[in-house]
Amino acid sequence: NAASRNPVPALNCTIFAVQMDRAVLYDRINRRVDLMLRQGLVAEVETVLSYCRNSCPEKYTADPDFPGSCTSFQAIGYKEPLQYLAGVCSYEEMADKIKSATRKYAKRQMTWLRKWNWVNWMDVDQIQDPLSWIWSHLPKYADHLTQDD
């Protein structure tokens, strides 16, 4: 039934989700990935990789993919630099893979949130002051809150 497909949250909470023009979102994602790479994402992954291998040599000996086989190294933004460092892809391909995976993840988040009719959508292209907009929508759901809480 419709209630089971769209349950009301069990917690006393209000959920807000941000939406924006998809082209703007994708451009922001691309620029953010470029910034992360300029700020040393590959060096960060190298450092963590080295630390893991040096601190757990027995695991590395047993599993040559360690720590790349660990769940944490499968995260977007970590698995792609691992591939680059292993010579599987070029720097440009790595950057493109991170951007593509991040865009797909953002799309999955939006799809998941859209199925819930109790999510309050905030279109950042239409709202000048997001914080005021959120506070203006809270009284409908949480009369006991104040901005000082």
Side-chain angles (χ1 to χ4, degrees):
N1 69 33
S4 66
R5 287 189 307 270
N6 207 354
V8 175
L11 300 173
N12 183 12
C13 63
T14 302
I15 309 269
F16 291 95
V18 177
Q19 69 183 8
M20 64 178 63
D21 177 75
R22 189 170 296 197
V24 172
L25 174 62
Y26 287 2
D27 180 62
R28 287 179 69 170
I29 288 169
N30 292 341
R31 287 186 289 126
R32 176 69 179 132
V33 170
D34 290 338
L35 178 62
M36 290 167 51
L37 289 168
R38 282 194 309 274
Q39 291 180 334
L41 177 61
V42 174
E44 174 185 325
V45 172
E46 279 181 306
T47 301
V48 173
L49 184 62
S50 176
Y51 175 80
C52 289
R53 286 182 174 161
N54 292 333
S55 64
C56 302
E58 67 286 350
K59 287 185 181 178
Y60 183 60
T61 303
D63 179 5
D65 290 332
F66 177 82
S69 58
C70 296
T71 302
S72 58
F73 277 92
Q74 297 307 310
I76 297 169
Y78 260 59
K79 67 181 173 185
E80 299 84 0
L82 282 176
Q83 293 171 349
Y84 166 68
L85 293 169
V88 174
C89 63
S90 70
Y91 186 89
E92 293 76 20
E93 290 169 326
M94 172 200 61
D96 288 342
K97 285 180 180 188
I98 297 171
K99 292 172 186 178
S100 176
T102 305
R103 290 190 305 263
K104 288 175 184 174
Y105 185 67
K107 187 175 189 289
R108 284 193 308 272
Q109 287 178 321
M110 300 290 278
T111 300
W112 185 81
L113 286 166
R114 281 198 181 100
K115 73 179 178 177
W116 309 113
N117 64 7
W118 39 263
V119 171
N120 297 282
W121 286 95
M122 180 174 53
D123 187 339
V124 296
D125 298 324
Q126 305 292 321
I127 297 170
Q128 297 297 318
D129 183 2
L131 188 57
S132 292
W133 185 90
I134 289 170
W135 278 109
S136 73
H137 284 75
L138 276 176
K140 291 191 267 183
Y141 307 101
D143 292 334
H144 62 283
L145 294 178
T146 67
Q147 273 188 291
D148 296 330
D149 285 345

